[in-house]
Amino acid sequence: MTPLEGREQALPQPVTAAPRQRRFGRLRAPRRPRLWFEILLIAVSYWTYSLVRNAVPEQRAEALRNTDWIWRAEHSLGLAVEKSVNHAVNSVTWLIVGMNYYYATLHFVVTLTVLVWLYRRHPGRYAATRLVLFATTAVALVGYYLYPLAPPRLMPGGGFVDTVMVHQTWGSMASGDLKHMSNQYAAMPSMHIGWSLWCGLTVFALARLPWVRILGLLYPAATLVVIVATANHFWLDAVGGLLCLAFGFAVARLWYGALPYALPRRIPAKKPHGAPARPAKS
């Protein structure tokens, strides 16, 4: 072996994993969202979510056993307040009718509104915040499968008022003529709480006007009152929704290396070859 050959062998070998690491880094980097792709993604994702949720076996006997356990657990904690709230609000017709429509509509309207706002005003944070919502919803599907739970209004002899049936309002996909289109035993976790908390935290973290930030915090609080007053959920279902949201944030934190709200507001502009990158606005 010649001295030159020895020096060539002593040179450090190129790291073959570097290209893969760069590709992985590009996947994790926030990208400018594309409108057509986002509309298609949200539509397909919600269709898939509804399909899977409603395909979970309606295990009525197990669901009612779990409902009894939840109700006993809340009594043992001294926090079984759902029936009192349900009857008190049901006695005020205009209020409970408004809550029925709140339950049926704002769950979707507010969530889509926040997604559009993120897309337009915070494109650099949009994908990461959307990932939180998607991961939250995905883990909720696991909960529906593993822990079927009947809502309070379906408890035999529970004494709860099904406010949609009583007041003849369109307030729940699991009541009246619409009940055959939705799994009635998928109450745990509550995605009304999971989604409303996602909306509220996003608005509170990113909005600039103080009154808008306050509304962001009030929205999940009002949603909690509504799901209990309409007898669609126990408050422990709301705890399940909170845990799912925490999982969603953990997934986004692991993928992007930061919480969604800490990412730059705008996507850095692509620089020409050899030119310095323009800093993104925070």
Side-chain angles (χ1 to χ4, degrees):
M1 181 175 66
T2 67
L4 179 59
E5 290 173 338
R7 285 196 300 271
E8 288 176 347
Q9 291 183 0
L11 290 174
Q13 298 299 312
V15 181
T16 56
R20 290 195 296 270
Q21 292 173 352
R22 286 196 296 270
R23 285 195 295 270
F24 184 65
R26 286 196 296 269
L27 286 174
R28 297 178 63 185
R31 297 181 180 184
R32 189 176 302 278
R34 292 167 291 179
L35 181 59
W36 67 267
F37 176 78
E38 293 302 325
I39 293 174
L40 180 63
L41 178 64
I42 291 170
V44 171
S45 298
Y46 184 72
W47 176 80
T48 304
Y49 164 75
S50 300
L51 185 68
V52 174
R53 181 181 186 272
N54 297 335
V56 172
E58 292 195 0
Q59 301 165 316
R60 183 176 185 274
E62 184 178 355
L64 291 176
R65 284 196 300 270
N66 291 336
T67 299
D68 289 337
W69 186 91
I70 290 284
W71 192 226
R72 289 197 305 270
E74 291 191 356
H75 273 287
S76 66
L77 294 171
L79 295 173
V81 300
E82 288 88 346
K83 188 186 296 185
S84 299
V85 174
N86 174 237
H87 284 262
V89 178
N90 184 66
S91 64
V92 184
T93 302
W94 65 266
L95 182 58
I96 193 60
V97 168
M99 287 189 174
N100 284 343
Y101 288 122
Y102 179 116
Y103 184 87
T105 59
L106 292 192
H107 179 52
F108 307 102
V109 172
V110 175
T111 304
L112 286 174
T113 300
V114 173
L115 279 169
V116 171
W117 174 67
L118 281 169
Y119 177 87
R120 292 177 58 87
R121 301 299 298 272
H122 298 269
R125 298 161 178 154
Y126 173 84
T129 313
R130 188 237 297 136
L131 177 60
V132 174
L133 182 65
F134 279 29
T136 298
T137 306
V139 76
L141 291 174
V142 178
Y144 299 147
Y145 183 84
L146 297 179
Y147 196 79
L149 184 74
R153 58 185 172 75
L154 292 183
M155 287 180 64
F160 287 91
V161 178
D162 188 334
T163 60
V164 172
M165 296 293 292
V166 169
H167 297 282
Q168 298 297 303
T169 54
W170 182 73
S172 173
M173 286 292 289
S175 292
D177 295 334
L178 297 175
K179 65 184 179 181
H180 300 296
M181 299 172 59
S182 179
N183 185 352
Q184 298 186 76
Y185 305 115
M188 171 66 85
S190 169
M191 280 298 94
H192 272 74
I193 292 299
W195 288 14
S196 66
L197 269 174
W198 176 86
C199 292
L201 291 175
T202 300
V203 170
F204 180 76
L206 300 180
R208 294 182 178 180
L209 296 176
W211 66 269
V212 176
R213 300 181 72 201
I214 292 172
L215 283 179
L217 293 181
L218 290 177
Y219 174 55
T223 301
L224 176 60
V225 174
V226 167
I227 67 172
V228 170
T230 56
N232 280 294
H233 288 282
F234 298 100
W235 66 262
L236 277 176
D237 301 343
V239 175
L242 174 62
L243 293 176
C244 289
L245 182 64
F247 173 83
F249 274 107
V251 169
R253 175 67 175 81
L254 288 172
W255 182 255
Y256 286 98
L259 289 175
Y261 311 138
L263 295 172
R265 180 182 179 187
R266 301 286 181 185
I267 303 294
K270 289 185 177 180
K271 62 176 182 176
H273 183 69
R278 293 168 55 188
K281 295 180 180 180
S282 60

